[in-house]
């Protein structure tokens, strides 16, 4: 078996699902499950597509980096499907395409192929977001997404003209062997950065997020905020660590932009009063932070942070979107005390948000501590200070929300959460605690990830 | 399985926290009784094994956690766990008032776990983990009380403190190369030492509730459930003192030396802030109507004493500070518990709504009396000994400005600590409270134990001072000269037992006078003021309303300065958020495109300049 | 020369997206930008006097200059994707119209 099945099977199923609408959701679940199971049977290595050897043909790279990503993203995808099964029915075909696109993004070792998968998963995302019934927001997303990916393509073509290859590892090799200066690379790099930045919710390129996630239902919320965001972050990580060497000056500029993104994200979340808005702005800050970590070369822990974010955002957005689907409001003041009647949901939400704000016993804390250790090892005191200061703001708005959602003076509104979401969020919350206390697993994974880039990456 | 190992104690406590939750689910009262058993167990284990030198520090099950028993850790741990144990007796009586009863018991025990971890580790990372653990487990105790508002404030201030601590930890690590506490503090040098000094001070300030991070203290202590209040003031606050010892005593900042007093500038600034803390705490305590808030501000000013003493850093000062930690912990725990006992019966802690409780609760009254005598620093209570030592140190060092604060606080405390005494317990009994009885035995018991300790620390301080001397030597200062009954300061020797004896004679004489002379005549509340007229605003005529109005008028304009500052900081953050929202997040597709174009062109333009 | 034309088209497209407030016009601008981009891709592979990169019996010697075939392959994909996006955009535009009765973004009342 070859890892290409991860992409091919969902695509094939997508075509089949058009034939029988009723079967489509079942097929979707089966394929998603098949993907999860099959990941564990593939052997690591590069898969050549169509018989053309690596620099000439398209290749898929299954190394420890993409393996971790595939496991996390496929499982998260499956869980989102379970949570939002009744919404899934209408868009089953689209979700199959999305699954193919996401796996492709993680697997591909070719920059143009990456563009194709960005577009495939992007178009799927536009279609998924139409289930919000906010068409202007979706249109917004479409326009910005298309402009972004066009920029990516533009940068890619300039790069191709300069280097003459599209294969990632070949590109990295040629860049170093032909001595192309970092200054020359900065233009195409910048274009590609912007293109990916749109999808990764980086600050000035992300006005679509509010429309999409701010009105998200229980399918769109976790899907875009957790699964998509995680995938794009990992793609970003691969490009930043194994293809480009960012020049110091450009790196500085980007870091500053990203830091502004963190500050903006946290302050906007602080200034918001709606549950989903708070979460979406907070995830903007998280996304920027992850990219900074990749830029700084703290790859292993950045991956762990992505995973922590995938888990906790899945819980948070699933609960927030479910709640607002039921109550038709997500104004925090209108939701006072809802957790006191739904303890399991409340505890899961609490754990996830405490993990995001980095309190001990939870995964977020372990990740944050190790990230800070690495940052201090790099003597980047300002960055550490900004991260800590924004964390204070972050913790404050999360605690504010938590207190409001747990305590109430009057009668709280009642919501019936179905048992699926209860089980899933509690399992994920337990997972956050397990990773938060049993840290050896994380350390091992970080080492395997770091090894990937020491061997195949640029030096 | 070694039951004297810290790891074992920790894990048993943690497990029984979960157990308390499960039992509490079945029966809330039983769950809260578990908290008593557990905290008693921890206290006894820590004190018994600790002072017999039997505590084992090896870890078998917990990864990456290392323990170490130091004299200072043991001192703090026994003080704080003792306070936890005493307070826990109150839990069963208050548990019915909480919204999440089982959770309360669990978090109460979890905070205890955090405390233990902080005091018994030699590793900064472990310390920080437990520090934060304490923060979040105690944080969720607060909203179960009167109001949920102060929780966020507590979290914000605590997090400022913890992150300052974290930053300091990493600064030290960058020089020592490890998270080891002793190495870190010993090897940090140069500008980094000064920064570490400042950051550790911030951490200590945030936890102790010192100016300018004091705002949470009165709010949290005013809002939190009554037993939790005692834990905060007597226990959790002391985390700050622990960090302060680490930073203020064991680090030497190198900014520049002030020649006249032979003191480093950074050190002087911290001492100065300490004395400001004393003054503000005192002034604010004077004008409170809520007895719990009053005591909260008094806790704040007592935190100031600890800071001032620690910055001076010689033997007398350090032992004064440490003794003050102990004396204030038990005194404030006793005082808060006494008020909690009253509040449980009357459901209010406002002084203007209470009066004459001495007729109902004479023992509680005595407990409160003893506690405030200690807090005001009057012999023969523990607070006197510590304050005497701190005064000695300040005078000897020759710090006139700081001494003003220190003495002001001492005199000011006379003004405020007796107000709750007069308003709550003395004065006329209110008709609606006539039928109330003394608190149940298991509430009285811990209060009596605490009072006994307060007197013991005041009469025979030498055994404990001997223990403190070991810490002082550990910290590299000279031990205080103590004999069996005397303590020698810079300008003389005191004899606490003798003073207490004199005091006892005085009380006895007063008592004789009291019983031989004619009894005072009792008047009812309404007799005093009404004179036949109908009164609409009866509560304004309560004598504790505006008790110190002329004094308060001097500074009442300025009391909200800090609150306003924090409000404006909060508003500024929100404003920045709105700004970004306005410029980046509209419903128009062109906004992002616009920013893309702007960034690209700016960078291209910049590139041509490179 | 071709590059300049392509860049001008991309700029035009961007200008359109920035200034137009009509859903259809924005989609058109997107298209213009994509066409410019596609032109740019082709121009990268262009070699003066090169011939089509097809192996035939007439041209089977290595001395001949081919244009780079890869960009041509890429541009095909890009065009297809562009068409897909445009179709999706128009579908959304239709939904917008049936919901609000207008194509003008300014005339829609959404939060």
């Amino acid at each position: 078996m070859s890892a290409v099945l991860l992409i091919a099977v969902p695509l094939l199923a997508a075509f089949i699902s058009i034939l029988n609408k009723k079967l489509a959701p079942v097929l979707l679940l089966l394929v998603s499950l098949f993907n999860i199971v099959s990941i564990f049977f593939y052997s690591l290595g590069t898969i050549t597509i169509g018989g053309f050897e690596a620099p000439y043909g398209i290749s898929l790279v299954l190394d420890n980096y993409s393996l971790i990503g595939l496991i996390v993203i496929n499982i998260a995808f499956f869980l989102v499907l379970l949570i939002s099964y009744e919404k899934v029915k209408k868009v089953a075909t689209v979700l199959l395409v999305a699954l193919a696109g996401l796996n492709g993004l993680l697997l591909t070792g070719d920059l143009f192929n990456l563009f194709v998968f960005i577009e495939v998963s992007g178009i799927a995302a536009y279609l998924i977001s139409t289930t919000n019934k906010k068409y202007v927001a979706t249109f917004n997303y479409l326009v910005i997404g298309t402009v972004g990916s066009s920029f990516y393509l533009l940068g890619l073509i300039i790069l191709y003209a300069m280097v003459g290859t599209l294969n990632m590892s070949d590109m990295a090799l040629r860049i170093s062997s032909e001595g192309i200066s970092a200054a020359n690379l900065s233009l195409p790099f910048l274009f590609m950065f912007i293109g990916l930045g749109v999808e990764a919710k980086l600050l000035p390129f992300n006005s679509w997020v509010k429309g999409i996630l701010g009105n998200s239902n229980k399918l769109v919320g976790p899907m875009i905020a957790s699964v998509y965001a995680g995938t794009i972050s990992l793609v970003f990580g691969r490009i930043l660590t194994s293809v480009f060497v960012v020049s110091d000056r450009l790196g500085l500029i980007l870091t500053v932009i990203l830091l502004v993104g963190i500050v903006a994200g946290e302050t906007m979340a602080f200034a918001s009063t709606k549950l989903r808005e708070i979460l979406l702005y907070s995830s903007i800050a998280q996304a920027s932070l992850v990219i900074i970590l990749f830029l700084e070369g703290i790859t292993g822990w950045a991956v762990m942070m992505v995973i922590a974010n995938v888990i906790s955002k899945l819980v948070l957005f699933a609960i927030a979107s479910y709640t607002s689907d039921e109550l038709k409001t997500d104004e925090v003041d209108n939701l006072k005390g809802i957790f006191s009647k739904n303890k399991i949901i409340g505890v899961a939400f609490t754990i996830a948000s405490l993990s995001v704000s980095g309190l001990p016993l939870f995964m977020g804390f372990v990740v944050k501590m190790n990230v800070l250790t690495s940052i201090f090892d790099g003597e980047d005191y300002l960055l550490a200070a900004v991260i800590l200061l924004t964390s204070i703001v972050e913790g404050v708005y999360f605690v504010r929300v938590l207190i409001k959602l747990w305590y109430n003076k009057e009668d709280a509104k009642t919501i019936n959460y179905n048992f699926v979401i209860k089980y899933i969020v509690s399992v994920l919350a337990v997972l956050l605690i397990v990773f938060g206390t049993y840290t050896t697993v994380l350390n091992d994974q970080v080492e395997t990830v770091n090894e990937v880039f020491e061997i195949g990456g640029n030096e | 399985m070694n039951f004297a190992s810290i790891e074992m104690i920790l894990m048993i406590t943690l497990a029984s926290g979960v157990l308390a939750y499960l039992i509490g689910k079945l029966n809330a009262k039983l769950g809260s009784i578990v908290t008593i058993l557990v905290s008693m167990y921890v206290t006894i284990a820590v004190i018994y094994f600790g002072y017999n030198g039997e505590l084992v520090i090896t870890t078998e099950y917990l990864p990456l956690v290392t323990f170490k028993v130091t004299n200072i850790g043991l001192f703090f741990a026994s003080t704080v766990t003792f306070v936890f144990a005493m307070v826990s007796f109150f839990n069963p009586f208050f548990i019915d008032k909480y919204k999440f009863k089982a959770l309360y018991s669990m978090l109460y025990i979890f905070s205890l776990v955090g405390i233990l971890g902080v005091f018994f580790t030699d590793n900064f990372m472990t310390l920080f983990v437990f520090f934060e653990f304490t923060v979040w487990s105690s944080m969720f105790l607060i909203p179960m009380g009167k109001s949920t508002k102060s929780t966020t404030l507590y979290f914000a201030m605590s997090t400022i403190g913890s992150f300052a601590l974290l930053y300091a930890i990493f600064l030290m690590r960058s020089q020592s190369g490890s998270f080891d506490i002793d190495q870190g503090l010993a090897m940090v040098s140069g500008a980094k030492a000064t920064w570490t000094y400042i950051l550790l001070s911030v951490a200590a300030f945030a936890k102790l509730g010192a100016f300018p991070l004091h705002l949470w203290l009165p709010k949290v202590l005013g809002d939190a459930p009554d037993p939790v209040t005692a834990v905060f003031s007597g226990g959790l606050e002391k985390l700050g003192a622990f960090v302060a010892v680490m930073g203020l005593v064991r680090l030497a900042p190198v900014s520049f030396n002030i020649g006249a007093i032979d003191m480093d500038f950074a050190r002087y600034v911290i001492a100065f802030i300490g004395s400001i803390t004393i003054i503000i705490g005192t002034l604010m305590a004077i004008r409170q109507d809520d007895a719990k808030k009053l005591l909260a501000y008094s806790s704040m000013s007592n935190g100031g004493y600890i800071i001032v003493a620690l910055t001076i850093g010689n033997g007398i000062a350090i032992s004064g500070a440490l003794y003050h930690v102990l004396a204030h912990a038990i005194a404030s725990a006793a005082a808060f518990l006494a008020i909690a006992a009253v509040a449980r019966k009357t459901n209010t802690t406002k002084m203007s709504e209470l009066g004459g409780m001495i007729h109902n609760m004479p023992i509680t009254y005595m407990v409160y009396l003893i506690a405030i005598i200690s807090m005001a620093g009057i012999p023969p209570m523990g607070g006197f000994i510590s304050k005497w030592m701190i005064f000695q140190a300040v005078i000897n060092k020759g710090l006139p400005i700081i001494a003003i604060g220190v003495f002001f606080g001492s005199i000011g405390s006379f003004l405020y600590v007796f107000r709750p005494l007069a308003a709550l317990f003395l004065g006329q009994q209110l008709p609606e409270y006539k039928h109330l009885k003394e608190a149940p035995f298991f509430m009285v018991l811990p209060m009596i134990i605490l009072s006994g300790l307060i007197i013991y620390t005041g009469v025979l301080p030498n055994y404990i001072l001997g223990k403190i001397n070991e810490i002082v030597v550990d910290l590299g200062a000279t031990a205080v000269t103590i004999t069996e009954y005397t303590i020698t300061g810079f300008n003389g020797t005191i004899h606490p037992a003798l003073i207490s004896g004199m005091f006892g004679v005085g009380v006895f004489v007063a008592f004789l006078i009291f019983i031989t002379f004619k009894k005072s005549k009792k008047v009812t509340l309404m007799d005093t003021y009404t004179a036949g007229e109908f009164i609409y605003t009866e509560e304004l005529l309560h004598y504790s309303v505006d008790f110190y109005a002329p004094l308060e008028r001097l500074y009442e304009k300025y009391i909200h300065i800090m609150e306003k500052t924090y409000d404006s900081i909060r508003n500024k953050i929100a404003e920045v958020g709105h700004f970004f929202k306005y410029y980046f997040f509209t419903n128009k597709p062109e906004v992002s495109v616009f920013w893309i174009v702007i960034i690209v062109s700016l960078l291209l333009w910049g590139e041509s300049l490179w | 020369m071709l590059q300049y034309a392509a860049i001008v088209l991309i700029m035009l497209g961007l200008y359109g997206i920035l200034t137009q407030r009509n859903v259809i016009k924005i989609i058109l601008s997107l298209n213009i930008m994509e066409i410019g981009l596609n032109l740019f891709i082709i121009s990268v592979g262009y070699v003066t006097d090169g011939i089509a990169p097809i192996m035939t019996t007439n041209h089977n010697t290595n001395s001949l200059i081919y244009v780079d075939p890869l960009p041509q392959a890429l541009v095909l994909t890009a065009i297809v994707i562009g068409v897909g996006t445009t179709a999706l955009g128009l579908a959304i535009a239709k939904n917008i119209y049936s919901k609000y009765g207008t194509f003008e973004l300014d005339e829609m009342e959404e939060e």
Side-chain angles (χ1 to χ4, degrees), chain A residues 112 133-134 136 146 160, chain C residues 34 68 74 81 85 99 110:
Chain A
F112 186 77
K133 304 262 185 272
K134 300 282 181 193
V136 177
T146 311
Y160 172 72
Chain C
E34 271 165 6
D68 188 348
L74 298 188
I81 289 173
T85 325
K99 191 171 176 185
E110 203 166 351

Side-chain angles (χ1 to χ4, degrees), chain B residues 405-419:
Chain B
V406 172
F407 290 119
F408 180 85
S410 203
I411 297 161
S413 64
F414 289 107
L415 292 179
Y416 64 76
V417 285
F418 289 98
R419 266 190 66 213

Side-chain angles (χ1 to χ4, degrees), chain B residues 585-607:
Chain B
F585 289 90
T586 52
N587 231 351
K588 317 252 184 291
E590 67 266 24
V591 177
S592 278
V593 180
F594 171 74
W595 285 108
I596 293 174
V597 173
I598 289 289
I599 287 202
V600 167
S601 38
L602 270 182
L603 285 181
L604 287 183
W605 176 58
E607 200 179 25

Side-chain angles (χ1 to χ4, degrees), chain B residues 133-153:
Chain B
F133 187 75
T134 317
V135 168
W136 76 252
S137 50
S138 57
M139 171 175 79
F140 289 118
L141 288 174
I142 301 169
M144 296 191 204
K146 254 193 291 185
S147 149
T148 57
K149 279 183 193 140
S150 51
T151 317
T152 322
L153 186 67

Side-chain angles (χ1 to χ4, degrees), chain C residues 69-84:
Chain C
L70 195 62
Q72 301 193 352
L74 298 188
V75 91
L76 277 177
T77 321
I79 288 169
V80 172
I81 289 173
V83 171

Side-chain angles (χ1 to χ4, degrees), chain B residues 195-350:
Chain B
W195 278 109
T196 313
Y197 186 83
I198 294 169
L199 287 167
L200 283 180
S201 311
V202 171
F205 280 22
K207 270 280 145 199
L208 271 175
F211 176 84
L213 298 169
H214 62 277
L215 224 55
W216 66 272
L217 197 62
K219 298 213 166 170
V220 166
L221 295 195
D223 286 353
D226 299 319
V228 176
T229 318
V231 163
F232 264 103
S233 174
L236 297 175
E237 238 192 278
K238 302 301 176 265
L239 279 178
F242 187 70
V243 175
V245 172
M246 220 182 261
L248 300 180
V249 179
R250 294 174 72 178
L251 273 178
V254 274
S255 47
F256 66 91
N257 203 42
I258 304 174
I261 49 170
D262 188 28
M263 200 171 180
D264 191 85
F265 181 67
R267 213 171 259 267
Y268 188 78
V269 168
I270 303 291
F272 186 71
I273 296 176
S275 82
I276 288 183
T277 304
I278 299 176
I279 294 176
I280 294 180
T282 308
L283 287 178
M284 292 302 288
I286 286 173
R287 66 183 312 281
Q288 296 306 314
D289 182 38
D290 187 327
K292 277 166 77 182
K293 283 198 175 167
L294 185 147
L295 286 180
Y297 276 113
S298 113
S299 287
M300 171 185 168
S301 90
N302 278 298
Y305 279 100
I306 296 170
I307 291 169
V308 167
L310 287 176
T311 45
I312 294 170
N314 54 36
I316 293 248
I318 296 173
S319 27
L322 292 175
Y323 206 74
H324 201 67
V325 168
L326 175 69
H328 178 253
I330 49 182
S332 71
F336 273 113
L337 286 184
I339 287 177
V342 173
R344 178 170 170 269
K345 299 269 177 176
T346 62
N347 283 323
T348 179
T349 52
K350 285 220 161 39

